Amino acid sequence: MQSIALWTWSKWILLVSVTTVFAYGIVGFTLILLTWFQGWLYCLILSTTDHPPPPPVLISATLLLLLTSMLGLSGTLLNSRPILAFYAILLFPAFIALLIPAYVSYKRATFDLERKMNLAWSEWWDDRAKSIVQNSLRCCGYYSPLHQAVFSKRCYPRVPPSVRGCKAALVAYESWALRKTYTALFALVPLHLVNIIVALLCANHVTSTFGKGLTPTHYRLTYVFSCLSRANSEFCIVRRM
């Protein structure tokens, strides 16, 4: 491994770029795990109704980011230009993996979310999903306690008037979750584009040596000495031409 004092500016810039890819990859992976294992309030609604982008899609995107960043880190520290070439290539599918859940979240939140929630409650979700929504949001039924409710100790036909239907709270929460999702993902797009440009420009300059550091055959001292030792040096001149 090369001494830090001999690192080029391109290598430093590339190292910072790879670190940022690893940073938003590990942050996204951590948030997905917290949602999957119910590490924060109301996350059970997201994992049950599956209305934001499906967890497998987001997990695949974050794992691809982590794999790409580890590849870039190893290539930067080892001064390996072939590894950095694979790193630059993998940044493009990682970019697409960021755009897919961002676009899906934006589309669901923007185009008639209320109608989608109505259809999901009446046709898609089973009693278990409805019960989870009712218990999490402390509501009963959809429009009212008498409309497609899953009855329990907290939800029954003669509940107090203070208990409302779940529609308003559910639509508001889904809209907030989707808006946060696509805002965060779209905010990463410019940064990821910068990382792609940095990888393309700096990957071949991790050291001060041009190319692979191999001297052309005609300029090697061993070749010159072999030519000088020959009785007829015209053979070497012809080969050089």
Side-chain angles (χ1 to χ4, degrees), residues 168-184:
L170 180 60
V171 171
Y173 177 73
E174 291 287 344
S175 177
W176 173 85
L178 291 169
R179 188 172 60 254
K180 292 294 184 181
T181 301
Y182 74 72
T183 300

Side-chain angles (χ1 to χ4, degrees), residues 43-59:
C43 63
L44 190 58
I45 299 178
L46 298 180
S47 59
T48 303
T49 60
D50 201 24
H51 202 70
V57 176
L58 293 174
I59 291 176

Side-chain angles (χ1 to χ4, degrees), residues 56-114:
V57 176
L58 293 174
I59 291 176
S60 301
T62 54
L63 288 179
L64 182 58
L65 287 172
L66 291 176
L67 174 63
T68 304
S69 63
M70 296 304 295
L71 197 65
L73 183 62
S74 60
T76 302
L77 296 179
L78 296 176
N79 297 331
S80 176
R81 286 166 181 161
I83 294 179
L84 290 175
F86 282 107
Y87 163 72
I89 293 173
L90 286 178
L91 284 176
F92 289 94
F95 177 69
I96 297 175
L98 282 176
L99 288 180
I100 290 176
Y103 172 74
V104 171
S105 300
Y106 173 78
K107 182 179 179 181
R108 289 180 176 176
T110 305
F111 300 105
D112 206 358
L113 177 62
E114 184 176 346

